[in-house]
Amino acid sequence: MGNPKKWDNGLGNVIKDYFSQIFTAKHGDWDEVLNCVNPIVKEEHNRNLLRPIQDQEVKDALFQMHPDKSPEPDGMNPKFFQKYWHIRKKVGKDGYMVLKLDLSKAYDRVDWLFLCAILSRLGFDDKWVWLIFGCLSSVQFHVVSSGYTLGPITPSIGLRQGDPISPYLFLKCAEGFSTLIRSFEDRKLIHGCKVANGAPIVSHMLFANDSFLYCKATEQEVANIQQMLDVFAKASGQQVNFTKSSVFFSTNTTSMRQTICNRMGIREADEKSKYLGLPSTIGRNKIATFSYVVDKVHKRVQTWDNKFLSKAGKEVLIKSVIQALPAYTMNVFLLPVSISTDVVEILVEKQ
């Protein structure tokens, strides 16, 4: 059972030590990653970035913030949506796989010095880089629980949640990952795959803290992927959470599936797996695959039973709420006609 901690015997120290450890930098060797990055920022870009800040700019930025989402000391948690990419490869002698990698506490683990090194390598002026570093290093955290306020905790890594510039800084950090992947691909250590004959080869797709890596389903490429992830982790502080990650295999990959899953400590995605609320795989029975759209509409209109709504009121709800439910899926997939018919029947029944 251990020794349970309460507020009167050290619980505050446990909480503070936990968060202090999370936000403490563990600087690694990022030379291999930086060597893959080519400067892209031109002199004119730096002149624009370093021009004097006008009062009107500060005012405009201030009034564009939502009242409830400004970055207070504890920050706000923005939500990031991840783009979907799917492959159904059925023939061919080479088996392929797609790794969907989830970066653990991605924002909290960004190494400031690595980020500044990436910015300098890209060509940003040193003065601009120091301005960014000043924004990063000015933060402090307090832990508030049960009426107690603990801290301050002064981090040496991490990006502030809710800060408008944080997503862009994270993308610069991800640029190092992208160039490292391309370096491994150029050296034939990993091989991307095609969605069809004649299509371009895709080795990776990145969206916020989620990464898709495409490679051959062989032990050698898995070893190269693990080496690449280790290099990036030591350089940037980013770590892959394999328990939240998954792997998709092409149909012609048979014997290597379990071996790869065991070696990486990752699970194979099942038929019901979703990504950004959309199906990750689509079988022959598309009606069953997209039946969740009908279920979502049915559950939503059931809440109308307890409301005294006129036909006009229900029409407003249909146009403002119900239409948005299938629209998201329809932006990516062509829904079967029967799915659309079922949705219409549900709405007609409730009118």
Side-chain angles (χ1 to χ4, degrees):
M1 294 295 293
N3 183 19
K5 297 291 185 180
K6 298 183 179 180
W7 287 111
D8 56 355
N9 68 340
L11 177 59
N13 292 331
V14 172
I15 296 176
K16 185 175 180 180
D17 291 343
Y18 171 77
F19 285 100
S20 296
Q21 184 176 2
I22 289 179
F23 294 110
T24 299
K26 299 178 179 63
H27 304 305
D29 182 9
W30 53 64
D31 290 341
E32 184 174 352
V33 178
L34 291 182
N35 289 335
C36 303
V37 180
N38 295 318
I40 60 174
V41 180
K42 300 179 180 179
E43 183 62 30
E44 60 183 284
H45 297 149
N46 279 314
R47 285 198 299 268
N48 290 332
L49 291 172
L50 295 174
R51 62 182 175 81
I53 300 175
Q54 304 295 325
D55 293 343
Q56 187 62 38
E57 291 179 319
V58 178
K59 181 179 178 181
D60 292 342
L62 177 64
F63 281 87
Q64 287 173 3
M65 295 182 182
H66 191 283
D68 296 329
K69 296 183 180 179
S70 59
E72 294 292 334
D74 290 331
M76 299 291 291
N77 293 324
K79 297 180 179 179
F80 292 93
F81 296 91
Q82 306 162 345
K83 193 175 182 180
Y84 170 83
W85 182 274
H86 175 60
I87 297 177
R88 289 179 292 163
K89 178 179 172 64
K90 295 185 178 179
V91 296
K93 64 178 182 179
D94 294 326
Y96 284 83
M97 64 182 187
V98 182
L99 291 169
K100 177 184 176 295
L101 302 178
D102 180 86
L103 296 180
S104 177
K105 299 184 181 297
Y107 265 37
D108 296 338
R109 294 187 186 274
V110 173
D111 189 298
W112 296 345
L113 297 182
F114 170 75
L115 175 59
C116 291
I118 285 285
L119 294 176
S120 297
R121 180 69 177 179
L122 290 172
F124 286 97
D125 189 276
D126 288 343
K127 183 178 179 181
W128 172 257
V129 175
W130 278 109
L131 285 174
I132 295 298
F133 183 79
C135 293
L136 296 173
S137 59
S138 62
V139 66
Q140 288 185 333
F141 295 101
H142 290 79
V143 179
V144 179
S145 178
S146 302
Y148 293 87
T149 301
L150 307 176
I153 297 172
T154 304
S156 56
I157 58 173
L159 301 177
R160 265 183 278 195
Q161 301 281 355
D163 194 323
I165 200 175
S166 291
Y168 300 99
L169 295 179
F170 186 83
L171 290 179
K172 295 298 102 179
C173 182
E175 181 69 21
F177 189 30
S178 180
T179 54
L180 181 64
I181 296 172
R182 288 197 293 267
S183 173
F184 270 65
E185 186 180 14
D186 292 341
R187 289 180 282 167
K188 307 300 182 183
L189 298 177
I190 61 174
H191 299 79
C193 55
K194 303 178 181 179
V195 296
N197 291 332
I201 296 176
V202 179
S203 63
H204 64 285
M205 297 183 66
L206 308 181
F207 190 85
N209 63 327
D210 282 285
S211 309
F212 283 81
L213 302 183
Y214 303 83
C215 63
K216 289 184 178 180
T218 64
E219 289 193 74
Q220 184 58 56
E221 295 225 358
V222 168
N224 294 338
I225 287 288
Q226 290 177 315
Q227 178 190 355
M228 181 181 66
L229 295 176
D230 186 60
V231 169
F232 185 66
K234 291 179 179 178
S236 66
Q238 298 291 312
Q239 296 180 2
V240 176
N241 186 347
F242 287 101
T243 59
K244 291 186 178 180
S245 303
S246 57
V247 58
F248 300 85
F249 293 101
S250 59
T251 306
N252 63 336
T253 304
T254 55
S255 59
M256 289 299 299
R257 294 192 179 198
Q258 193 59 46
T259 301
I260 292 174
C261 289
N262 291 339
R263 177 163 183 170
M264 300 193 71
I266 198 172
R267 62 180 177 85
E268 182 177 356
D270 56 29
E271 296 180 354
K272 297 182 179 180
S273 64
K274 291 187 178 181
Y275 180 60
L276 293 181
L278 299 175
S280 297
T281 57
I282 300 178
R284 294 182 179 180
N285 191 347
K286 294 186 178 180
I287 296 178
T289 301
F290 295 106
S291 61
Y292 73 92
V293 175
V294 180
D295 295 336
K296 289 173 66 176
V297 172
H298 183 68
K299 290 180 180 179
R300 183 58 60 92
V301 298
Q302 278 185 329
T303 63
W304 297 357
D305 293 338
N306 297 327
K307 297 180 181 179
F308 297 97
L309 298 173
S310 62
K311 287 189 175 182
K314 292 181 179 180
E315 181 180 359
V316 171
L317 285 177
I318 291 174
K319 291 182 177 180
S320 61
V321 179
I322 301 301
Q323 277 186 344
L325 297 179
Y328 177 59
T329 304
M330 293 169 65
N331 285 332
V332 182
F333 300 108
L334 183 63
L335 295 182
V337 175
S338 60
I339 296 294
S340 301
T341 302
D342 291 342
V343 171
V344 172
E345 289 178 353
I346 292 174
L347 300 179
V348 171
E349 180 183 348
K350 289 296 181 181
Q351 284 186 347

